[in-house]
Amino acid sequence: MEKALEKVRNLLNAIFEKEVGVLVWVGSFLGIVGLRVFIETIVIPFSNTPDGVLVEYLHNLFFFLISFVVIWLILSKILHINPCKLAALFLGAAWLIVLPPILDIIKTGQGVYWSFYALDGPKGLWGEFITFFGHLPSGIVYFGTRIVFASVIGLIFLLAYVLTKNLWRSLFGAFMAYLTLFFMGSFPSWFAFGYYFFVDPQKIADIQGFHIAQLFGAQTSIFGVKFDNLKYAFAHNLDLVYFLVLVGALCWLFFALNKEKLWAVVKNARLPQLIYHTGLFGVGLGLGFLAYPGNLNLNVFSFFAVLDLIVGVWLAWVASVIVNDVYDFEIDKISNASRPLQMNIFTRKEYLNLGVIIFALSLLGGLMVSVKFMFILFFYQFLAWAYSAPPFRLKKFPGVATFISALASLLIMLMGFFLFSGDQNIAGLSWRIIILLLAALTLSLPIKDFKDIEGDKKYRIWTIPVIFGEEKGRLIVAVGIFISFMLSVFLLNEFRLFWWALLFGGAAFLIVINKKPRQLFWWVLGVVSIYGIILVKTLFL
């Protein structure tokens, strides 16, 4: 017996030593989920609409990927193994995803059982938990799903026991796997408990399945954006929540894999830029509300949609930072030696792979609300790539570089506006605001180039500070920022702003020409934020 166990251990250790590239792992997992959806929607058809198949695919992807990541992390903790060692094992285990519908077909000879979520109150869920989903309604059989769930729990126990020889630790691992699968299998119920806790705490004890179905199945608008497929409203609304859960789970996995690399990415995200992008999105939301106040329909899924888009914007910015870091490697060795690549925290390949994953997640964040937002984030990323990477490398050309950055910023503002305008798109947005934003940002964004003067100069990146020197460059950029403040008065045709624009534009001018402030972007961002509040109050309140 011991010899057999030793052979199994050696086999497992050989699997642990196999390296699986992150893009290979992700691509394979996406394909396996696609095969599952193919079996359910094509072999046993129940949907003929492309949007229905897309919602089903995304829903399956979220459910299984979140489940896999959590169980992956639990197992690595129990075995005291870095999650990276378990990558090949979990990629092989991903084939379990396609088994439930196949087992259902074998059982029935013609179709799949309807395996849905366990929707019930606290008492009902406890009954489901202690009976292994044994009290589900008669229409929900969970035949293939229950077999696979039981197999996963058993395999986790055997794996842990073979490697640790510790019965209690193995039982704990199996229990945690069951707890994870049960939580995911009843997730809408737990979400509803949390929702009603804030809305009406006394209602939690009275919750029944139909309350949860009504919460998620309601065909509600997200401000001006409408999802018209009632059949998939439940999955669509749940996916708005799942996206944030997935991002959190992946961050947890990244931390477990290598916390130094995670913190390097977080520190390199550049907090002022995250605030700046969030502010642009918020400006768009505000303008959208002013143009379409009737679309202000507040509900819990509107809240999650806004969060999804903000996280999508953050991820898009971080992906653009990675592209810039890769192609500015030599420049940053001179000007920004603390960047992740310069400190050898990542290899170039690892960093690019991470950029691809973050890029894809940003698109997914937009897609959660509408295909329109996915394409906006794609175009944002394209502009960021054209700015930094060959063959365009537009950052080399003064004026053009800042205009491209301004155009990318405009896209983020438009995302917020489109969330309110819906199918009306840009119809309710004044051309004056668009021109003001493009002009002001084109004139002001050269402020970010002062910290890179030495590196840009050596590699002939012709920014204003490089062309004119730091002192004259500061004066030119300061004048541009002052002009952008004054443009708000004339382009918006609001002369009540004149003295405010003069005051805050002058303050920004003095900050830029003064060499003492080290973080120019922070100081100017603060001045612009205060002036923006006054502008909104003057124009709209």
Side-chain angles (χ1 to χ4, degrees):
M1 182 67 177
E2 185 58 35
K3 288 184 178 180
L5 289 176
E6 189 62 31
K7 287 182 179 180
V8 174
R9 285 191 204 99
N10 291 336
L11 176 62
L12 288 172
N13 286 325
I15 294 173
F16 293 160
E17 293 304 316
K18 287 188 176 182
E19 293 187 8
V20 181
V22 61
L23 296 185
V24 172
W25 200 100
V26 171
S28 301
F29 193 88
L30 293 174
I32 291 170
V33 173
L35 180 59
R36 158 84 180 229
V37 175
F38 174 80
I39 294 171
E40 290 186 336
T41 63
I42 307 299
V43 178
I44 310 297
F46 62 85
S47 171
N48 297 317
T49 61
D51 60 332
V53 174
L54 177 62
V55 171
E56 282 295 325
Y57 179 83
L58 292 174
H59 194 67
N60 277 274
L61 176 63
F62 285 133
F63 180 91
F64 290 114
L65 189 51
I66 293 169
S67 302
F68 262 67
V69 169
V70 175
I71 294 175
W72 190 343
L73 287 163
I74 290 169
L75 189 60
S76 72
K77 194 71 174 177
I78 290 171
L79 300 178
H80 302 300
I81 296 176
N82 187 288
C84 186
K85 297 285 187 180
L86 299 174
L89 180 69
F90 271 81
L91 184 58
W95 287 101
L96 292 170
I97 292 171
V98 303
L99 280 183
I102 293 174
L103 293 173
D104 287 350
I105 292 169
I106 294 172
K107 171 70 174 177
T108 64
Q110 57 181 356
V112 297
Y113 286 123
W114 190 37
S115 299
F116 199 61
Y117 289 96
L119 307 180
D120 212 334
K123 187 180 294 185
L125 282 185
W126 174 247
E128 302 292 354
F129 181 76
I130 61 176
T131 61
F132 193 54
F133 297 102
H135 290 165
L136 289 169
S138 57
I140 305 176
V141 181
Y142 254 42
F143 177 76
T145 301
R146 290 175 74 184
I147 292 174
V148 171
F149 278 10
S151 301
V152 169
I153 295 164
L155 288 171
I156 294 291
F157 171 81
L158 291 173
L159 181 66
Y161 186 74
V162 167
L163 292 172
T164 66
K165 299 180 182 179
N166 187 308
L167 178 62
W168 292 110
R169 197 191 298 182
S170 304
L171 287 171
F172 179 73
F175 175 75
M176 291 302 295
Y178 176 51
L179 205 62
T180 301
L181 293 172
F182 182 84
F183 177 78
M184 291 301 298
S186 54
F187 181 84
S189 298
W190 299 106
F191 181 89
F193 299 159
Y195 172 75
Y196 286 115
F197 175 80
F198 290 103
V199 174
D200 184 3
Q202 294 181 343
K203 192 175 181 179
I204 294 177
D206 300 324
I207 288 178
Q208 297 182 46
F210 69 88
H211 291 120
I212 304 162
Q214 287 173 348
L215 176 62
F216 280 95
Q219 193 172 356
T220 56
S221 296
I222 300 170
F223 300 118
V225 178
K226 295 178 174 59
F227 183 76
D228 295 326
N229 196 326
L230 181 60
K231 182 178 179 180
Y232 293 99
F234 190 104
H236 176 263
N237 289 333
L238 189 52
D239 287 349
L240 292 170
V241 182
Y242 271 162
F243 173 72
L244 297 177
V245 176
L246 176 62
V247 171
L250 291 176
C251 288
W252 183 16
L253 177 62
F254 194 3
F255 180 82
L257 287 167
N258 194 314
K259 61 183 178 182
E260 182 188 12
K261 290 182 178 180
L262 174 64
W263 290 126
V265 173
V266 171
K267 291 176 183 177
N268 199 43
R270 304 164 200 178
L271 181 60
Q273 285 285 358
L274 294 177
I275 294 172
Y276 167 71
H277 280 72
T278 307
L280 286 171
F281 182 80
V283 168
L285 277 179
L287 292 171
F289 168 69
L290 293 170
Y292 303 96
N295 288 340
L296 182 64
N297 41 67
L298 296 176
N299 57 69
V300 65
F301 299 113
S302 294
F303 171 75
F304 275 94
V306 170
L307 289 181
D308 286 350
L309 291 179
I310 290 175
V311 171
V313 168
W314 289 350
L315 293 170
W317 162 250
V318 173
S320 74
V321 167
I322 290 175
V323 171
N324 187 70
D325 285 356
V326 168
Y327 290 101
D328 274 4
F329 180 78
E330 296 298 331
I331 294 173
D332 287 338
K333 282 204 302 188
I334 299 171
S335 304
N336 300 289
S338 61
R339 296 273 167 84
L341 283 178
Q342 280 64 38
M343 296 183 70
N344 295 316
I345 296 173
F346 290 91
T347 66
R348 189 175 188 272
K349 182 180 178 181
E350 286 175 338
Y351 209 42
L352 281 172
N353 286 343
L354 178 64
V356 171
I357 297 299
I358 294 175
F359 166 73
L361 281 173
S362 75
L363 297 185
L364 190 58
L367 182 60
M368 287 304 93
V369 183
S370 171
V371 174
K372 179 193 303 182
F373 298 106
M374 182 188 74
F375 279 113
I376 292 175
L377 288 172
F378 176 83
F379 287 127
Y380 173 93
Q381 298 277 16
F382 173 77
L383 291 174
W385 173 78
Y387 176 88
S388 299
F392 300 107
R393 198 136 166 84
L394 298 176
K395 68 176 297 178
K396 294 170 62 175
F397 306 103
V400 174
T402 49
F403 178 76
I404 292 297
S405 297
L407 196 58
S409 298
L410 177 65
L411 289 176
I412 302 303
M413 188 275 284
L414 288 177
M415 283 183 65
F417 185 83
F418 288 157
L419 191 60
F420 261 96
S421 66
D423 293 336
Q424 297 294 319
N425 293 326
I426 206 170
L429 185 62
S430 170
W431 63 269
R432 293 174 180 269
I433 293 174
I434 295 174
I435 292 177
L436 173 61
L437 190 63
L438 283 174
L441 291 174
T442 301
L443 290 169
S444 303
L445 285 176
I447 193 175
K448 64 184 175 57
D449 297 323
F450 285 100
K451 61 183 176 57
D452 298 328
I453 293 176
E454 293 303 318
D456 285 343
K457 187 175 183 179
K458 181 176 180 179
Y459 290 96
R460 298 187 178 186
I461 305 296
W462 302 114
T463 63
I464 288 176
V466 169
I467 296 170
F468 297 98
E470 183 175 359
E471 188 171 341
K472 287 184 179 178
R474 280 179 178 268
L475 181 61
I476 292 169
V477 173
V479 169
I481 292 175
F482 179 79
I483 290 172
S484 70
F485 275 89
M486 301 311 297
L487 279 175
S488 66
V489 178
F490 298 101
L491 279 175
L492 298 178
N493 198 27
E494 183 51 77
F495 289 94
R496 288 180 296 170
L497 290 170
F498 179 82
W499 293 109
W500 291 113
L502 193 65
L503 173 64
F504 287 97
F509 177 90
L510 292 174
I511 289 170
V512 175
I513 64 172
N514 187 342
K515 293 184 179 180
K516 289 183 180 180
R518 298 184 63 186
Q519 299 290 339
L520 280 178
F521 199 92
W522 272 115
W523 285 89
V524 174
L525 182 63
V527 171
V528 171
S529 299
I530 297 171
Y531 178 69
I533 293 170
I534 293 171
L535 185 149
V536 170
K537 184 177 183 298
T538 303
L539 292 179
F540 306 114
L541 299 181

